């Protein structure tokens, strides 16, 4: 619709465009691809060797979780099979690591290696699902509160205050233990003890922080001139949120999410450690550590291997999370003239 | 200042009220009343006895009647009696508080000191060996679940030392300060260390990033331009300004830990508030759960108010209204 | 308040602000609870018009309300009182839907070349955004249209898929200009478009803006905090102080023979790029600071810093009108306007006795 | 314009000044200063071999656009550029700042050299009272000063820089002051110990024009009263014209031209200086006919070979891209140096310019 007068191509004021061939409007022009902020972040991440190693560890853990049945088949031992004679000593104690039981056995004579591998399934599933739930709730509320302000903001901000004043662990334990006895009916869903309720409990009690962080970011972005420019050309609020606001808070959300995964994994393990998480006999690191605590004087391996698995997982996720943060926001640790 | 306090207290009371409502609701989603009466009456008790007990504890009435009864008692400073031993909840809570407070009082200064000092040291020379050392250490403890660290400490500092004849610390249990200060201290060293190391990691990271921000500020350059010693620049000028987020975090942590030292208490067998709460939850002992939850959220509310009031002391730009 | 009336204008103005007032509540700075509610008198009764093809400069210091006025004109903010009339239509109370057609006809260029472009969008999509919002150019045609716009403002069209971070400040400002031009607006509101740029780049953008005006017959409302750029680019200049226009007049009159003491002080404050003239140049240094817009002074708002203030100034607000000795389009809001070419602070005739007892000064 | 007669007159004055300055040892002498920052994207060469000198009581203006290295140069000399690799020499009162110990450097900072910065709000600590902040600098260098003494000295200083009611305002916080008053506080702080040199890094950029006028007036007055030398760093040629004696023009981390203020505005030699002056809108330039410098400044990471201004220069020749021209003396003028291959002789220069710029009719530089 716009037909520029005869300046096209003849008076480019830009350096480097000096040798611009007389380009007529119809001819397709060469287009130089820009390097997107995501691409730059990815390249920075790729240079972070520490984070790459951690990423490798995560891949291994994920593989262990996926191929847990193969590991079980390899040893020939089931997850919940109790080897009351071969797996326990004469006095009924766990057996140390051996060729038959690579990581030893637990107090019921089950194969620790297989159980540790299966434990990764619960941890990873809860870690990822709870984070997704938390981030979805938190980001949605934070976006709405931050962009629209006024009454909506006040309401959500108060809700956040209340959530942050609640003693999380007590409530989580209470809710989880209640459901462990009577399943919770949510429409067509029935939530009994297990992964879904743990995910729900963690999600319910952690969205507030995400909402607060996102809200703060949105409020900062809301006053940027590019938002004003969008409003000046008549863009609707929803268009502005989706096109201009969300892409700019997404990095924060992603950084937060990667750092939230290990937190969720630890929370799940803690609930299981206290006996209100995933119920037995499901293999779970937290529950294993709780059990093993009674045997630490006689069977170090029973305590050591689940602990190492848990520690390694959270450590790897935290290292990757830090790497992602540094890659997305290099200012956080980088050069400042 | 007065209006600020009144407003914040009112808001805090609202929060605490909401918390009690939520506890009641959670309790009544579950098996709550029926199970409690049956458990109390004993396995073989006839239904009549169970009903009688339920009646005495008001468990047969709708939840809002029970809630009204509870509120009525609360207004009169009475948290009610526990279902199983007929003990006043206030005294149960009062037994737990000194233990939990002992834990926090010892751990808080420790983690604050460790976290802030390591964070400042890291930020002074980013990417130096010192920085990498502290940040790696922080990352490690930050990633360690409390119970894993606790159990490890028991394994090495209690068990390994004890079997080698060095009985420095007991493995579990609590001795009141009034009874024997030394035993109190010995019994709490390992729990303190557990709680402090896990928490300090957050402070190292927080202090480091906060200090990195502040050290780039113009007024730090001004302080250097005045010819002040680096020590004075870092501690008197930069740290002072970097303290605000650290203070906020500290307030939140101390507040939430009153109801949040559950795991440390569980690992070391300390019968504090968290330990009591876990046991009450297992028994569905509603009055005790509510009592502890109220104390825990009150602690959060009070700590938040204290932090906000401290803002005004620390930062002259903030005024209280 | 008599401001330039329709009689002064040969044709009805494109944009006319009529007695525009913007007060907004603020809470006293506080992170805790709510502070006292106070009213900032950001804009207090401004009447101003921009004719077709005209460039009106708006000059004033931080906090004088010039940026607020720009946003009121664009209806990015709603007026407290008064009307914003665009091409004869009162925009102040139009719904968002009814406003949309007018959004196409007026656009804005912003000050901050870094803050005014979404860092996560490609330049092509930033410039095409107006097309997308108004659905005016077919999707398949957009790229060509955008590349033409890029050429028009002196950008390399090959950089269509680049991100704002890959451009320098001056180039970013060109992107902002291209975006503003996409819908072929009649009016451009420029909010300090060159203040954030280096001198050499500033001149590039100023030249670009005047070239575009000549080519498309644009009207500009051009905001700046110092007079040198405005004097170069504008036909008329309005000087704002604490939410009000204190003087308005054509270039060549207002800047040569200012009648308001504030205008004169502002003019003399611009350092002269000539060491010899600098020595001759008599600098008028105002004492004190700009008062708070929360509690502006009574009467004439400039009186607290004005070397010529008298009792009357505290009592009666001076009207913005033609003062004896000025041209018909030159208005000043001062009870005791400077004589043409009179230096500020020079000994003056004694004011009449009755005025001297008018009240506290 | 009668260049010849003017030149003769100036040559006389220059000779007189040469005699006066001959035995004066410069207060600060920077020689071949290079500053480099290593970043993930490459090595940023912020300053690439800069030399200049400031004499006691004189005012040196350093002018340049963003990224020209004008702030970094002085900050690096006094040890402020953290993480920078600095080389060269920076002799202050006869001693090399770059080889001094941290302790010796601290004794210089604040006591012998005062500094003020662009944004007075962020340059003052928000949580300490203004009087205390002024006094802190005094106590850091004068251990014998008592609290009461420093307090009254702070009040005196505040009065000296024109802050009304200094005794009442000692206990106010920076946010309670206006922008102009904050900059006065900064000046009071910088001058507390009567330094021999004041470094003013864009001291008026963040201020409104009328407040800028107040601050420049104050600086001029203090300089005349106290005899303090000033290094004034700015992007504003107008500020330079108002207050400086000598000017250094920086571009891409190198000196383009160096001269006394009058020579620079009247008889500038370097095309960059010409471009800067031509970019300024001044009375008499018709609308749309400013003469900007086309293009963009070079990247500091990978600067082009040869003259850094070459790619944007209207007079560029093929040799410009090969080798950076050295700073050469402009004969007949005192301490006028320029890094350009254009002839130093004024007449030859004019014809060289005319030869290179035939198409632009209104290409005559403004401001002369």
């Amino acid at each position: 619709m716009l037909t520029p007068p005869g300046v096209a191509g003849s008076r480019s004021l830009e350096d480097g465009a000096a040798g611009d061939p007389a380009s007529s409007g119809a001819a397709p022009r060469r287009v130089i691809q820009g390097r997107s902020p995501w691409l730059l972040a990815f390249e920075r991440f790729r240079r972070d060797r520490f984070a790459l190693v951690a990423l490798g560890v995560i891949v291994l853990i994920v593989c262990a979780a996926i191929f847990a049945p193969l590991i079980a088949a390899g040893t020939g031992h089931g997850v919940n099979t109790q080897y009351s004679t071969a797996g326990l000593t004469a006095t009924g104690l766990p057996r140390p690591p051996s060729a038959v039981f690579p990581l030893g056995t637990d107090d019921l004579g089950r194969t620790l290696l297989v159980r540790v591998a299966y434990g990764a399934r619960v941890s990873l599933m809860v870690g990822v699902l709870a984070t997704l739930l938390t981030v979805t709730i938190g980001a949605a509320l934070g976006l709405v509160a931050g962009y629209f302000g006024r009454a909506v903001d006040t309401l959500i901000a108060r809700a956040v205050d209340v959530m942050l004043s609640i003693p999380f662990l007590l409530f989580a334990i209470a809710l989880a233990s209640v459901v462990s006895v009577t399943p919770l009916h949510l429409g067509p869903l029935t939530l009994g003890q297990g992964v879904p309720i743990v995910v729900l409990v963690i999600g319910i009690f952690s969205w507030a922080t995400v909402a607060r962080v996102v809200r703060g970011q949105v409020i900062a972005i809301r006053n940027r001139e590019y938002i004003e420019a969008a409003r000046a050309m008549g863009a609707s609020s929803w268009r502005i949120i989706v096109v201009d606001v969300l892409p700019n808070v997404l990095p924060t959300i992603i950084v937060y999410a990667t750092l939230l995964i290990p937190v969720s994994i630890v929370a799940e393990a803690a609930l299981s450690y206290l006996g209100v998480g995933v119920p037995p006999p499901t293999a779970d690191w937290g529950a294993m550590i709780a059990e093993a605590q009674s045997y630490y004087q006689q069977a170090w391996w029973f305590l050591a291997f689940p602990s190492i698995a848990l520690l390694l997982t959270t450590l790897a996720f935290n290292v990757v999370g830090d790497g992602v943060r540094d890659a997305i926001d290099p200012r956080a640790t980088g050069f400042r003239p | 200042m007065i209006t600020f306090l009144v407003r914040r207290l009112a808001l805090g009371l609202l929060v605490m009220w909401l918390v009690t409502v939520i506890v009641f609701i959670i309790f009544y989603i579950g098996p709550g009343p029926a199970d409690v009466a049956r458990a109390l009456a004993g396995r073989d008790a006839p239904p009549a006895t169970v009903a009688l007990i339920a009646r005495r504890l008001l468990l047969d009435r709708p939840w809002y009647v029970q809630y009204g009864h509870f509120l009525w008692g609360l207004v009169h400073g009475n948290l009610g009696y526990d279902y199983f031993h007929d003990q006043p909840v206030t005294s149960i809570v009062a037994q737990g508080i000194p233990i939990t407070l002992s834990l926090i009082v010892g751990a808080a200064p420790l983690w604050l000191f460790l976290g802030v000092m390591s964070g400042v040291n890291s930020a002074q020379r980013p990417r130096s060996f010192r920085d990498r050392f502290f940040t790696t250490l922080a990352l490690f403890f930050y990633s360690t679940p409390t119970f894993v660290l606790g159990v490890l400490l028991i394994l090495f500092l209690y068990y390994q030392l004890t079997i080698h004849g060095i009985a420095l610390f007991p493995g579990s249990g609590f001795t009141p300060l009034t009874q024997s200060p030394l035993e109190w201290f010995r019994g709490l060293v390992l729990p303190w260390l557990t709680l402090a190391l896990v928490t300090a990691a957050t402070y190292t990271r927080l202090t480091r990033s906060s200090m990195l921000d502040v050290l780039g500020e113009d007024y730090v350059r001004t302080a250097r331009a005045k010819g002040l010693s680096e020590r004075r620049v870092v501690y008197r000028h930069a740290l002072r300004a970097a303290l605000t987020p650290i203070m906020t975090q500290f307030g939140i942590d101390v507040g939430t830990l009153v109801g949040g030292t559950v795991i440390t208490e569980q690992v070391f067998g300390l019968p504090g508030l968290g330990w009591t709460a876990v046991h009450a939850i297992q028994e569905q002992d509603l009055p005790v759960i509510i009592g502890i939850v109220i104390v825990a959220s009150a602690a959060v509310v009070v700590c938040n108010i204290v932090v906000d009031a401290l803002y005004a002391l620390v930062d002259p730009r903030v005024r209280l209204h | 308040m008599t401001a330039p009336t329709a009689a002064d204008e040969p044709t009805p103005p494109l944009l006319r602000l009529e007695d525009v007032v913007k007060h907004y509540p603020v809470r006293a700075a506080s992170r805790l609870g709510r502070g006292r509610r106070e009213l900032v008198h950001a804009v207090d009764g401004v009447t101003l018009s921009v004719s077709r093809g005209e460039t009106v400069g708006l000059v004033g210091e931080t906090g004088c309300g010039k940026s607020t006025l720009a946003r009121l004109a664009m209806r990015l903010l709603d007026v407290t009182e008064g009307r914003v009339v665009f091409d004869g239509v009162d925009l102040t109370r139009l719904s968002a839907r009814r406003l949309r057609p007018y959004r196409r006809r007026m656009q804005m260029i912003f000050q901050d070349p870094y803050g005014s472009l979404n860092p996560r969008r490609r330049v092509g999509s930033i410039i095409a955004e107006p097309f997308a919002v108004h659905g005016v150019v077919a999707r398949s045609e957009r790229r060509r249209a955008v590349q033409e716009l890029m050429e028009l403002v002196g950008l390399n069209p090959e950089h269509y898929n680049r991100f704002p971070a890959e451009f320098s400040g001056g180039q970013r400002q060109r992107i902002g200009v291209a975006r503003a031009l996409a819908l072929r607006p009649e009016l451009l509101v420029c909010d300090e478009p060159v203040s954030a740029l280096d001198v050499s780049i500033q001149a590039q953008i100023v030249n670009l803006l005047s070239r575009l005006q000549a080519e498309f017959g644009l009207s500009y409302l051009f905001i700046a905090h110092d007079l040198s750029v405005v004097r170069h680019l504008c036909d008329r200049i309005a000087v704002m102080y604490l939410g009000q226009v204190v003087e308005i007049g054509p270039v060549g009159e207002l800047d040569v023979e200012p009648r308001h003491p504030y205008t004169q002080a502002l003019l003399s404050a611009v350092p002269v790029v000539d060491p010899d003239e600098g020595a001759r140049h008599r600098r008028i240094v105002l004492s004190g600071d700009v008062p708070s817009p929360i509690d502006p002074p009574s009467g004439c708002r400039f009186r607290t810093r004005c070397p010529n203030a008298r009792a009357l100034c505290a009592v009666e607000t001076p009207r913005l009108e033609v003062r004896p000795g000025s041209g018909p389009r030159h208005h000043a809001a001062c009870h005791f306007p400077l004589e043409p070419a009179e230096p500020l602070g020079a000994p003056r005739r004694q004011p009449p006795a009755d005025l001297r007892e008018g009240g506290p000064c | 314009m009668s260049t010849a007669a003017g030149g003769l007159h100036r040559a006389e004055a220059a000779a007189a000044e040469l005699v006066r300055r001959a035995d004066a040892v410069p207060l600060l002498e920077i020689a071949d200063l290079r500053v480099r920052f290593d970043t993930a994207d490459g090595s940023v060469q912020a300053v690439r071999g800069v030399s200049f000198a400031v004499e006691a009581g004189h005012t040196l203006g350093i002018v340049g656009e963003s990224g020209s290295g004008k702030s970094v140069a002085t900050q690096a000399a006094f040890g402020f550029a953290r993480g920078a690799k600095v080389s060269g020499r920076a002799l202050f009162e006869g001693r090399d700042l770059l080889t001094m110990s941290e302790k010796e450097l601290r004794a210089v900072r604040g006591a012998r050299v005062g500094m003020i910065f662009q944004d007075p709000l962020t340059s003052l600590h928000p949580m300490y009272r203004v009087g205390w902040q002024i006094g802190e600098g005094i106590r850091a260098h004068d251990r014998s000063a008592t609290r009461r003494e420093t307090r009254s000295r702070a009040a005196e200083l505040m009065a000296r820089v024109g802050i009304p009611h200094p005794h009442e305002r000692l206990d106010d916080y920076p946010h309670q002051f206006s922008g102009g008053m904050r900059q006065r506080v900064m000046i009071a702080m910088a001058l507390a110990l009567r330094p021999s040199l004041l470094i003013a890094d864009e001291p008026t950029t963040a201020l409104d024009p009328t407040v800028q006028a107040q601050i420049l007036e104050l600086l001029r007055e203090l300089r005349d009263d106290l005899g303090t030398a000033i290094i004034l760093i700015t992007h504003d040629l107008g500020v330079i014209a108002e207050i400086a004696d000598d000017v250094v023009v920086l571009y891409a981390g190198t000196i383009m031209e160096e001269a006394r203020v009058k020579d620079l505005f009247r008889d500038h030699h370097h095309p960059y200086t010409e471009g800067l002056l031509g970019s300024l809108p001044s009375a008499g330039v018709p609308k749309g006919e400013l003469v900007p410098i086309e293009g963009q400044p070079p990247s500091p990471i990978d600067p082009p070979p040869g003259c850094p201004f070459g790619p944007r220069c209207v007079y560029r020749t093929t040799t410009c891209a090969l080798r950076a021209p050295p700073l050469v003396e402009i004969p007949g003028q005192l301490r006028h140096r320029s890094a350009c291959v254009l002839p130093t002789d004024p007449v030859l220069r004019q014809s060289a310019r005319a030869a290179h710029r035939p198409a632009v009719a209104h290409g005559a530089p403004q401001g002369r």
Side-chain angles (χ1 to χ4, degrees), chain A residues 25 40 49 109 132 145 159 186 191 210 232 245-246 300 306 325 331 335:
Chain A
L40 294 175
R49 266 175 296 165
L132 276 181
L186 285 177
L191 292 175
V210 182
V245 178
L246 189 58
W300 58 267
R325 187 197 55 204
R331 193 191 53 87
F335 161 79

Side-chain angles (χ1 to χ4, degrees), chain A residues 40-298:
Chain A
L40 294 175
F42 176 72
E43 281 173 4
R44 277 192 291 266
F45 186 83
R46 233 175 34 184
R47 283 200 294 265
D48 188 343
R49 266 175 296 165
F50 207 33
L52 288 181
V53 170
L55 194 65
V57 171
I58 291 176
V59 168
L60 281 182
I61 295 168
V62 170
C63 286
I66 293 173
F67 301 115
L70 285 183
I71 296 172
T75 56
H77 301 162
V79 213
N80 295 323
T81 329
Q82 302 179 6
Y83 300 90
S84 42
T85 47
L88 292 176
T89 59
T91 48
L93 288 173
R95 285 223 186 255
S98 63
V100 187
F101 302 107
L103 300 183
T105 61
D106 71 358
D107 55 333
L108 296 176
R110 294 174 292 194
T111 314
L112 209 52
L113 173 68
V114 177
R115 290 188 66 76
V116 168
Y118 269 92
R121 295 186 148 195
V122 176
S123 281
L124 291 178
M125 196 144 60
V126 172
V128 171
L129 291 180
T131 299
L132 276 181
L133 183 67
T134 306
V135 166
T136 311
I137 302 176
L141 290 177
L143 267 175
V144 168
Y147 187 79
F148 290 104
R150 297 168 199 260
V152 191
D153 182 35
T154 313
L155 194 73
I156 294 174
R158 286 290 152 266
V160 166
D161 285 348
V162 171
M163 289 310 293
L164 292 178
S165 301
I166 287 177
F168 157 70
L169 211 50
L170 288 187
F171 267 72
I173 299 167
L175 195 58
S177 76
V178 158
V179 180
S180 68
V181 184
T182 311
L184 181 60
H185 297 280
L186 285 177
L189 285 171
T190 302
L191 292 175
Q193 202 179 7
V195 170
I197 192 69
V198 172
V199 167
L200 196 68
V201 164
I202 296 175
I204 288 174
F205 289 103
S206 1
W207 63 265
T209 329
V210 182
R212 198 166 59 169
V213 171
V214 170
R215 172 177 172 268
Q217 284 261 313
V218 173
I219 287 175
I221 288 171
R222 189 177 60 183
N223 296 322
R224 295 273 161 83
E225 284 180 344
Y226 61 80
I227 302 290
E228 273 194 313
R231 287 177 50 215
M233 66 183 70
S236 68
S237 293
W238 289 111
R239 186 180 171 90
I240 294 174
I241 289 183
V242 172
V243 169
D244 287 319
V245 178
L246 189 58
N248 283 289
V249 291
L250 207 55
T252 312
I253 294 175
I254 287 174
V255 167
Y256 214 88
T258 47
L259 291 171
L260 210 57
I261 292 176
V263 173
S264 304
I265 289 176
V266 169
E268 183 276 328
L271 287 178
S272 297
Y273 174 82
L274 294 172
V276 292
V278 182
T282 312
D284 180 281
W285 294 340
M288 287 155 108
I289 294 168
E291 282 297 306
Q293 214 185 324
S294 325
Y295 294 90
Y296 69 90
Q297 301 177 1
Q298 295 91 12

Side-chain angles (χ1 to χ4, degrees), chain D residues 36-313:
Chain D
R36 205 182 74 217
F37 296 93
D38 289 328
T39 70
D41 299 320
S43 173
V44 174
Q45 305 186 14
V47 179
R48 303 190 283 154
V50 160
S51 309
F52 60 82
V54 192
E55 279 155 63
H58 270 253
T59 301
L60 173 74
I62 300 182
V63 72
E65 298 180 288
S66 43
S68 62
K70 58 187 189 298
S71 291
V72 179
T74 41
Q75 290 196 8
F78 286 92
F80 281 93
R82 283 164 72 82
K85 307 255 185 312
V86 185
S87 70
R89 257 184 324 133
L91 293 179
F92 177 71
E93 293 180 335
R95 296 188 299 156
D96 191 350
L97 295 166
L98 300 182
T99 56
M100 266 185 197
S101 72
E102 182 64 23
K103 200 172 166 213
E104 288 172 308
L105 199 56
R106 277 206 304 273
V108 171
R109 286 189 205 147
R112 304 303 303 146
V113 182
M115 300 191 188
I116 57 177
F117 303 107
Q118 176 172 351
D119 188 345
L121 178 60
T122 57
S123 295
L124 289 164
H125 200 294
M127 299 176 183
Y128 290 114
R129 295 173 200 280
V130 152
W132 184 90
Q133 296 195 45
I134 297 175
E136 190 190 25
I138 301 175
R139 280 198 310 279
H141 297 278
D142 180 3
R143 293 292 161 92
S144 65
T146 63
R147 251 163 219 289
R148 182 173 298 180
E149 272 168 29
T150 47
R151 204 175 148 80
S152 69
R153 271 165 78 183
E156 277 166 34
L157 283 161
M158 284 167 72
R160 183 68 192 78
V161 296
I163 297 171
H165 315 295
H167 285 279
E168 287 104 86
R169 305 224 65 182
L170 274 176
D171 290 328
D172 281 349
Y173 290 98
H175 70 274
Q176 292 163 299
F177 288 79
S178 70
M181 286 298 147
R182 284 184 204 126
Q183 197 57 293
R184 286 173 197 265
V185 171
M186 282 299 291
I187 294 173
M189 202 186 289
L191 295 180
L193 291 161
R194 289 277 204 129
S196 54
L197 176 64
L198 175 72
I199 295 174
D201 194 343
E202 302 257 14
T204 59
T205 306
L207 304 175
D208 275 320
T210 59
V211 181
Q212 163 170 314
Q214 294 173 357
I215 296 297
L216 287 180
E217 197 70 41
L218 175 67
L219 281 178
R220 207 181 346 230
E221 189 190 313
L222 289 170
R223 174 192 64 186
D224 294 347
D225 285 6
L226 305 174
T228 314
I230 299 179
I231 295 181
L232 184 86
I233 299 160
T234 180
H235 67 276
D236 189 339
L237 282 164
V239 171
I240 294 280
E242 293 266 330
I243 192 166
D245 301 316
D246 304 309
V247 205
V248 168
V249 181
L250 280 184
Y251 183 80
T254 52
I255 292 182
M256 297 282 104
E257 188 161 14
E258 181 187 1
R260 288 181 304 172
V261 165
K262 286 185 184 181
D263 295 335
L264 188 92
F265 285 95
R266 263 152 221 297
D267 264 335
H268 45 78
H269 177 265
H270 203 283
Y272 176 61
T273 315
E274 184 185 328
L276 277 184
L277 290 165
S279 298
L280 293 174
S282 52
V285 183
K287 204 167 165 175
E289 294 187 3
L290 294 176
V291 190
I293 304 171
E294 304 295 0
Q296 314 290 334
S299 151
I301 289 181
D302 193 16
C307 174
F309 185 62
R312 299 174 75 187
C313 183

